[in-house]
Amino acid sequence: MNTLTKFLTGLGLGTALTLTAGTAMAAGGGCGTFTNAEGVEEHLACSEAPIDFTNKGSQQNGAKIFMNYCAGCHSAKYVRHSRIAKDLDIPPELVEKYLMVTTDQIGDHIDAEIDPDVQAAWFGAAPPDLSLVTRLRGDDWVYTYLLSFYEDPSRPWGANNLVLQNAAMPHVLNNMQNSMSQEEFESEVGDLVNFMAWMGEPVRHDRRVIGFFVILFLLVLLIPVYLLNKEFWKDVK
């Protein structure tokens, strides 16, 4: 069990906390800081997200979780349902049956189809598009954020977040968390973030594989180029 999990397990409703959250990408400070009940400021390190683009099962499960828990409010306007079917090896008929919650056209993008003004009235701010959130915040930040909700009766939705103080987002995964062990919940959230990382850059794995072979080719090419250079310049004094 990681440090974040241990902290959250011991966090009760009566605990007096003053939270000051900051993002790791912006300040280089992990996933923020918080002031504990003794008034001591503590650093909140990001938990490592289990990103694995070769694990199609994880991403398929993440797609299911995203569509069931996130797509009702959040859009992902740069992602088409047909791309999910193709890249994640999901039969199109299964995508149409189980993953298309706001449209009946598999070529459509993921869109919550809710008026942003209505959402702003509900939550205080319109939920952001999640297509590129892992590229904006980082995989580990998003993973830690989703694991950092805790009960706070002073908030409108009864929950707050260690990473992002007074977040407008409710703890939408609360029922899931209560129905399984902490390890199982972390695994499910890991699958969700793995899918979201794919949404942000579907070609990430291919880019890294191609990049490796390009670098390898250039290193091998360096040998004949170096020898040829020596041959051309050997008579020059």
Side-chain angles (χ1 to χ4, degrees):
M1 187 178 295
N2 57 39
T3 302
L4 173 62
T5 301
K6 291 179 179 178
F7 177 81
L8 290 175
T9 301
L11 188 64
L13 293 179
T15 303
L17 285 175
T18 302
L19 302 176
T20 305
T23 68
M25 303 305 114
C31 281
T33 59
F34 63 92
T35 302
N36 63 23
E38 287 73 36
V40 179
E41 186 175 88
E42 295 188 27
H43 172 74
L44 179 62
C46 287
S47 299
E48 183 177 357
I51 304 302
D52 182 2
F53 276 40
T54 66
N55 189 343
K56 298 297 184 182
S58 168
Q59 292 179 327
Q60 291 168 0
N61 186 46
K64 179 190 71 175
I65 296 171
F66 184 89
M67 293 303 177
N68 281 300
Y69 290 92
C70 306
C73 294
H74 292 277
S75 296
K77 294 183 178 179
Y78 299 123
V79 182
R80 295 181 186 273
H81 295 87
S82 55
R83 184 69 183 270
I84 294 175
K86 178 182 178 181
D87 284 16
L88 304 189
D89 298 332
I90 305 175
E93 58 271 19
L94 294 183
V95 171
E96 293 174 347
K97 184 175 181 179
Y98 296 110
L99 299 183
M100 290 168 47
V101 297
T102 59
T103 182
D104 58 2
Q105 298 294 323
I106 196 169
D108 286 350
H109 297 85
I110 300 173
D111 195 334
E113 299 290 346
I114 302 178
D115 187 339
D117 293 334
V118 174
Q119 290 181 310
W122 290 345
F123 304 111
D129 185 273
L130 296 182
S131 303
L132 303 175
V133 66
T134 55
R135 298 186 67 177
L136 173 65
R137 297 285 195 173
D139 303 332
D140 294 346
W141 189 97
V142 175
Y143 179 62
T144 307
Y145 169 77
L146 291 174
L147 293 176
S148 297
F149 282 93
Y150 66 94
E151 292 184 48
D152 182 354
S154 68
R155 297 294 299 150
W157 298 99
N160 210 329
N161 192 282
L162 281 175
V163 174
L164 190 62
Q165 181 186 14
N166 296 332
M169 175 179 161
H171 185 13
V172 295
L173 302 179
N174 184 56
N175 289 338
M176 177 193 293
Q177 184 173 15
N178 291 335
S179 66
M180 56 184 61
S181 69
Q182 184 63 29
E183 290 74 16
E184 291 172 332
F185 178 65
E186 290 178 6
S187 176
E188 292 291 289
V189 173
D191 289 347
L192 171 59
V193 177
N194 198 21
F195 170 72
M196 295 172 70
W198 169 84
M199 286 201 309
E201 190 178 6
V203 298
R204 184 197 296 189
H205 177 68
D206 293 339
R207 172 176 58 79
R208 290 179 176 178
V209 171
I210 294 171
F212 170 79
F213 284 106
V214 168
I215 295 299
L216 182 62
F217 169 76
L218 292 176
L219 290 175
V220 173
L221 182 64
L222 181 62
I223 298 173
V225 169
Y226 172 74
L227 295 176
L228 185 61
N229 180 73
K230 286 187 65 176
E231 182 68 22
F232 280 160
W233 290 92
K234 67 180 182 179
D235 296 325
V236 178
K237 297 182 180 180

